[in-house]
Amino acid sequence: MMTQTTPKDHAGEQDVDLTSSALDHRLAEQPHGTTNGHTNGHTNGANGTNGHASTLPELDASRLTVELADPTAREVPEEAVANSGDETTCTDHMITCKWHYKTGWAAPELKPYGPFTLMPVASVLHYATECFEGLKAFRGFDGKLRIFRPNLNAERMLMSTLRIALPGFDPKELEKLITVLVAQDGPKWLPRSRPGSFLYIRPAIIGTQAQLGVQASKEALLFITLSFMPRMDSPPGGMKLHTSPEDMVRAWVGGFGYAKLGANYGPSLLATAEARARGFGQILWLYGKEGYCTEAGASNFFVVWKAKDTGRLQLITAPLDDRLILDGVNRRSVVELFKNRLAGEVEVVERKYTIDEVLEADAEGRLVEAFASGTAFFICPVSLIHHRGKDVQIPMGKTGESGEYTAKVKGWLRDIMYGNEQHEWGVVVTKE
Amino acid sequence: MMTQTTPKDHAGEQDVDLTSSALDHRLAEQPHGTTNGHTNGHTNGANGTNGHASTLPELDASRLTVELADPTAREVPEEAVANSGDETTCTDHMITCKWHYKTGWAAPELKPYGPFTLMPVASVLHYATECFEGLKAFRGFDGKLRIFRPNLNAERMLMSTLRIALPGFDPKELEKLITVLVAQDGPKWLPRSRPGSFLYIRPAIIGTQAQLGVQASKEALLFITLSFMPRMDSPPGGMKLHTSPEDMVRAWVGGFGYAKLGANYGPSLLATAEARARGFGQILWLYGKEGYCTEAGASNFFVVWKAKDTGRLQLITAPLDDRLILDGVNRRSVVELFKNRLAGEVEVVERKYTIDEVLEADAEGRLVEAFASGTAFFICPVSLIHHRGKDVQIPMGKTGESGEYTAKVKGWLRDIMYGNEQHEWGVVVTKE
């Protein structure tokens, strides 16, 4: 950033979509292929220094070093106790892995959970060079430990990492590291005596270079923690949403709403705190003058209604193609389950839709139910939307606790997560 | 975030602009008044816990504790050496101050510069709960130490801090702490033998609560460092800008482009790195289908042209009222200097203007000069804008190094900063 060079012969370049091209360069540079069209990370690309594949060491789970904590030093608290304080309760261990632009990825380390040391001028503390993932490990009713679709989180983490100009990696290696940590701490922290319990897995990567220049960080730290998290999927009476204020937008076309960057979260806290102070659970983020429904808090949002033209049942949710919203793992799973198991009964529609369409469906008695989906909130029934002084009550089924389809898809997912149904999405952790 | 309460009687509330109201609540809660319409911070407001003024301890510079480093342990490097490595060279000391929602602001500490300890689940590392300021301390040609308009930075820091849901404070106290640090390290690190040298002052505040819930941080750390920074105001041949790609927006109406949040910086690094790889210094960020010119990198952007209708000289820059851009201290100073010293010669216009207007002015021979202004880049002449495959060459004056007005305003500012002109903007640090 400190130097200025003479522009290269750029007149002939396609520079209209410089950012897309930047990202494409990165992805094209990756040395390995993966199964889903995503490609693996490599080290040099993240600093934009050149367009050549790196010969520096890659992220490699097989190089993991292990330093174990004293297993008797800490007891596993009850879930309610663990979630009652101001601090997140983490398990005995974490995994960390350092990266440096000159030496590539170091050997990952599994070691006792504990503090980091960062210089005050570290990139992450000033320029939000950070991204993360969230997924869960489950103790099944069949006694097995499972992780839900970890490959999708690992691949999304690579995408977010490149978007925030941090170093790439092979997502399969990240998935292996996640599995190793769950295999290490799962047996103690998700005891077989507590079927139906879960832990929250938080992989993250931060820019650690001690440099105040506004530039891609030349050092990074990848880390994975395992912790307790409150159950948020069943607030009494359902979740109540407050639509976003006219003067505030969470994400925008051309922005980074699709990536799991810290920069999407901090700026939303002020409005969320105000909504909570007024008694609502989350903000329903609208977009544009049209008031398109996008996300509920940091969760995806679904409505079941009867279509205006045909009267047929539809599950509607915001689309991914304008990159406003997160491609949620639960969102994707919900869409796939509705398509596979409710074909002919409920049509799945991914398109832009407005809050006015929701209001109209309500007024015409076509609104069937609504829910939010995300790792933290799982599948959370929505009972009310407050919009510009008006309340839209959303049906909550015969029980008053959840709409029928919401309960159905939640049950399917729960069965897969906790092993009541053997399914490829519930990846069993075997080494325990 | 973990609890859900019943909505209060909200039907009658004005909730259309909930965010503005949230921010207004915060500001109205502040216990002290300031000179410019901004108000001071207080502690409770930042967590949205209530609307009452706090009785917890405020940020108070008079409580500063001092632990000095061995003054002989480090020598002051030459400027070029200090700026040559991968890490920012900081001075001997820093100031830190902790905040906790239950105990308010602790006593600030002046102590040897060194690393922080943060838990892996600290808010700032995941949710970008962070903001900062940048200003400079100058060793004048008259031998005095000065800081340029620090009150403006301190007041903007309060605004940014509240925007990212961190605890408020009295900006006058922050200004005092900045001054104390400069008074401590200035004499050694800006020696009288180096008139015309400067150090970069970086106040920042981060959310340190070790909690993965997406919520306002209940703990925070304010810190101030003093460091070297390269001179970036005179790239050979002037700075070359590349307009932002169509698929990328830096900031947006309803966002937070006006606040100095980390979240505005990290996401811009990818496009900036790509522009640099193509030989450009910064991105000229355009906004909307109209292609409004907003900022040049993280600096404000100015064009001098002859108005299309009258042919008269105008200094044009983006306005503040839509909150897309930063209310830069140098921007404000440039505007004021042009109004005060070039009245009748150059009209100052703060309005939206498009890249097409710039292209048209170029085509019609009305383009006079352009420059970027910011703390890091000071006043930096712009010689070229590359837009959608076309180059706009911008006049660089007789010397080829800077346009006439660019040089003039830069000279005025330099004279104030380095004490060639005694001016209230150049605040002398007396305690050295």
Side-chain angles (χ1 to χ4, degrees):
Chain A
M1 109 157 273
M2 309 309 179
T3 60
Q4 170 100 17
T5 58
T6 307
K8 283 186 274 185
D9 176 24
H10 50 256
E13 287 187 31
Q14 298 294 324
D15 59 0
V16 172
D17 60 345
L18 178 148
T19 301
S20 289
S21 72
L23 205 49
D24 289 348
H25 287 175
R26 295 285 158 78
L27 293 169
E29 285 164 5
Q30 313 304 324
H32 316 291
T34 64
T35 52
N36 73 337
H38 280 268
T39 48
N40 299 327
H42 89 116
T43 46
N44 277 349
N47 278 307
T49 48
N50 61 54
H52 305 294
S54 167
T55 55
L56 295 174
E58 301 286 337
L59 182 65
D60 181 354
S62 73
R63 295 169 65 206
L64 185 75
T65 64
V66 176
E67 178 203 346
L68 295 183
D70 173 2
T72 65
R74 295 173 63 204
E75 283 194 16
V76 179
E78 291 299 319
E79 190 176 305
V81 173
N83 290 321
S84 63
D86 282 334
E87 301 201 345
T88 293
T89 302
C90 290
T91 62
D92 289 337
H93 299 94
M94 62 182 178
I95 285 178
T96 67
C97 191
K98 287 183 183 174
W99 173 87
H100 188 282
Y101 79 116
K102 286 183 178 169
T103 51
W105 286 99
E109 301 174 57
L110 186 150
K111 59 188 178 187
Y113 176 77
F116 292 154
T117 294
L118 277 175
M119 293 311 286
V121 294
S123 174
V124 65
L125 304 181
H126 301 266
Y127 306 126
T129 46
E130 60 192 66
C131 64
F132 66 93
E133 272 301 323
L135 62 166
K136 284 177 178 167
F138 304 90
R139 174 61 73 184
F141 291 102
D142 60 354
K144 290 181 181 168
L145 270 183
R146 282 182 181 76
I147 312 177
F148 187 71
R149 307 187 82 174
N151 58 314
L152 297 182
N153 293 92
E155 285 159 9
R156 191 174 61 186
M157 176 104 164
L158 169 61
M159 181 274 293
S160 300
T161 300
L162 297 176
R163 180 65 186 80
I164 200 68
L166 288 172
F169 51 82
D170 183 341
K172 287 205 189 71
E173 298 302 308
L174 174 59
E175 191 182 340
K176 284 181 202 167
L177 291 173
I178 290 169
T179 306
V180 166
L181 184 61
V182 172
Q184 175 65 44
D185 279 359
K188 171 178 170 183
W189 291 82
L190 285 175
R192 284 173 185 266
S193 59
R194 293 187 193 176
S197 60
F198 67 87
L199 288 172
Y200 181 74
I201 308 166
R202 168 59 59 97
I205 182 166
I206 58 176
T208 52
Q209 189 188 7
Q211 163 65 266
L212 287 180
V214 182
Q215 58 189 2
S217 182
K218 291 178 174 171
E219 297 176 32
L221 181 70
L222 170 73
F223 58 99
I224 311 169
T225 62
L226 205 54
S227 64
F228 281 87
M229 169 179 276
R231 291 170 192 259
M232 297 185 279
D233 59 316
S234 303
M239 182 152 66
K240 294 165 186 68
L241 302 178
H242 191 302
T243 56
S244 53
E246 282 189 354
D247 69 347
M248 188 149 189
V249 183
R250 187 198 82 95
W252 62 103
V253 173
F256 41 87
Y258 61 97
K260 218 159 170 66
L261 308 185
N264 279 319
Y265 294 81
S268 76
L269 296 176
L270 192 63
T272 304
E274 182 73 13
R276 292 220 171 103
R278 297 183 187 188
F280 297 90
Q282 287 290 349
I283 298 271
L284 176 59
W285 292 102
L286 305 181
Y287 184 74
K289 287 176 200 161
E290 301 86 352
Y292 293 119
C293 299
T294 62
E295 295 195 358
S299 304
N300 294 116
F301 180 64
F302 290 87
V303 172
V304 180
W305 65 20
K306 289 175 185 157
K308 187 171 174 65
D309 48 356
T310 64
R312 291 185 52 196
L313 280 172
Q314 286 182 338
L315 174 77
I316 187 157
T317 197
L320 301 176
D321 53 11
D322 55 8
R323 307 187 103 185
L324 269 178
I325 67 163
L326 195 72
D327 179 5
V329 176
N330 279 356
R331 178 191 180 283
R332 195 190 285 212
S333 303
V334 164
V335 165
E336 291 170 19
L337 286 172
F338 267 77
K339 283 185 178 173
N340 291 337
R341 301 188 181 184
L342 292 169
E345 184 176 347
V346 182
E347 183 189 11
V348 177
V349 179
E350 296 174 75
R351 71 158 166 90
K352 289 185 186 179
Y353 67 104
T354 68
I355 186 69
D356 286 340
E357 288 184 81
V358 176
L359 295 176
E360 189 185 32
D362 175 53
E364 296 176 358
R366 293 184 286 105
L367 203 52
V368 178
E369 53 194 84
F371 61 91
S373 83
T375 296
F377 284 84
F378 186 26
I379 301 292
C380 185
V382 170
S383 58
L384 183 143
I385 301 172
H386 181 73
H387 178 66
R388 310 276 184 266
K390 271 190 277 187
D391 281 350
V392 179
Q393 301 285 348
I394 300 171
M396 286 283 285
K398 291 170 192 160
T399 62
E401 288 176 11
S402 169
E404 174 193 355
Y405 292 106
T406 305
K408 203 170 262 187
V409 73
K410 189 171 179 172
W412 288 332
L413 284 168
R414 191 192 286 115
D415 284 347
I416 294 170
M417 290 165 174
Y418 290 105
N420 290 333
E421 177 186 345
Q422 302 302 315
H423 193 287
E424 60 176 0
W425 292 352
V427 178
V428 175
V429 177
T430 49
K431 291 180 205 163
E432 64 167 317
Chain B
M1 114 157 269
M2 308 310 179
T3 60
Q4 171 100 18
T5 58
T6 307
K8 283 186 274 187
D9 176 25
H10 50 254
E13 287 186 34
Q14 298 295 324
D15 60 0
V16 172
D17 60 344
L18 177 149
T19 301
S20 288
S21 72
L23 204 50
D24 289 347
H25 288 174
R26 296 286 157 79
L27 292 169
E29 286 165 5
Q30 313 305 324
H32 316 291
T34 63
T35 53
N36 72 338
H38 279 267
T39 48
N40 301 327
H42 89 116
T43 46
N44 277 350
N47 278 307
T49 48
N50 62 55
H52 305 294
S54 166
T55 55
L56 296 174
E58 300 285 337
L59 182 66
D60 181 354
S62 74
R63 296 169 64 206
L64 185 75
T65 65
V66 176
E67 178 202 345
L68 294 183
D70 173 1
T72 64
R74 294 172 64 205
E75 284 193 16
V76 179
E78 290 300 317
E79 191 177 305
V81 173
N83 290 320
S84 63
D86 281 334
E87 301 200 346
T88 293
T89 302
C90 290
T91 62
D92 288 338
H93 300 95
M94 62 181 178
I95 286 179
T96 67
C97 191
K98 288 182 181 175
W99 174 87
H100 188 281
Y101 79 116
K102 286 184 178 168
T103 52
W105 286 101
E109 302 173 57
L110 186 151
K111 59 188 178 186
Y113 177 77
F116 292 153
T117 294
L118 278 175
M119 293 310 286
V121 294
S123 174
V124 65
L125 304 181
H126 301 267
Y127 306 127
T129 46
E130 61 191 65
C131 64
F132 66 93
E133 271 300 324
L135 63 164
K136 284 177 179 169
F138 304 90
R139 173 61 74 184
F141 290 103
D142 61 352
K144 290 181 180 167
L145 270 182
R146 282 180 181 78
I147 312 177
F148 187 72
R149 309 187 81 175
N151 59 315
L152 297 182
N153 293 93
E155 287 160 8
R156 190 173 62 186
M157 177 103 164
L158 170 60
M159 181 275 292
S160 300
T161 300
L162 296 175
R163 180 63 186 82
I164 200 70
L166 288 172
F169 51 83
D170 184 341
K172 287 204 190 71
E173 298 303 308
L174 174 59
E175 190 182 339
K176 284 179 201 165
L177 292 172
I178 290 169
T179 306
V180 167
L181 185 60
V182 172
Q184 175 64 44
D185 280 359
K188 171 178 169 183
W189 291 81
L190 284 175
R192 284 173 185 267
S193 60
R194 294 187 194 175
S197 60
F198 68 87
L199 288 172
Y200 181 76
I201 308 166
R202 169 58 61 96
I205 182 166
I206 59 177
T208 52
Q209 189 188 7
Q211 164 64 267
L212 287 181
V214 181
Q215 58 188 3
S217 182
K218 291 178 173 171
E219 298 176 33
L221 181 70
L222 170 73
F223 58 99
I224 311 169
T225 62
L226 205 54
S227 64
F228 281 87
M229 170 178 276
R231 291 170 192 259
M232 296 186 280
D233 60 316
S234 303
M239 183 152 64
K240 294 164 186 71
L241 302 178
H242 191 300
T243 55
S244 53
E246 282 189 355
D247 67 349
M248 186 149 193
V249 183
R250 186 198 83 94
W252 62 105
V253 173
F256 42 87
Y258 62 96
K260 218 158 170 67
L261 308 185
N264 278 319
Y265 294 81
S268 76
L269 296 176
L270 193 62
T272 304
E274 182 73 13
R276 293 222 171 101
R278 296 183 187 187
F280 297 89
Q282 286 290 349
I283 297 273
L284 176 59
W285 292 102
L286 305 181
Y287 184 74
K289 286 176 199 161
E290 301 85 353
Y292 293 118
C293 299
T294 63
E295 296 196 358
S299 305
N300 293 117
F301 180 64
F302 290 88
V303 172
V304 181
W305 66 20
K306 289 176 185 157
K308 187 171 173 64
D309 46 358
T310 64
R312 291 186 51 196
L313 279 172
Q314 286 183 337
L315 175 76
I316 187 157
T317 197
L320 300 175
D321 54 10
D322 55 7
R323 305 188 105 184
L324 268 178
I325 66 162
L326 196 73
D327 178 5
V329 176
N330 280 356
R331 177 192 181 282
R332 195 188 283 210
S333 304
V334 164
V335 165
E336 290 170 19
L337 286 173
F338 268 76
K339 284 185 178 173
N340 291 336
R341 303 190 180 183
L342 292 169
E345 184 175 345
V346 182
E347 183 189 11
V348 177
V349 179
E350 296 175 74
R351 70 158 168 91
K352 289 185 186 181
Y353 67 103
T354 66
I355 186 68
D356 286 340
E357 288 184 81
V358 176
L359 295 176
E360 189 186 31
D362 174 54
E364 296 176 358
R366 293 184 288 103
L367 203 52
V368 178
E369 53 194 84
F371 60 91
S373 83
T375 295
F377 283 85
F378 187 27
I379 303 292
C380 185
V382 170
S383 58
L384 183 143
I385 301 171
H386 181 73
H387 177 66
R388 310 276 184 268
K390 271 191 277 188
D391 281 350
V392 179
Q393 301 284 347
I394 299 170
M396 286 283 285
K398 291 170 193 162
T399 61
E401 287 176 10
S402 169
E404 175 195 353
Y405 293 106
T406 305
K408 202 169 264 186
V409 74
K410 189 171 179 174
W412 287 331
L413 284 169
R414 191 193 286 116
D415 283 347
I416 294 170
M417 290 164 174
Y418 291 105
N420 290 332
E421 177 185 346
Q422 302 302 316
H423 192 286
E424 60 176 1
W425 293 351
V427 179
V428 175
V429 178
T430 50
K431 292 179 203 163
E432 64 165 317

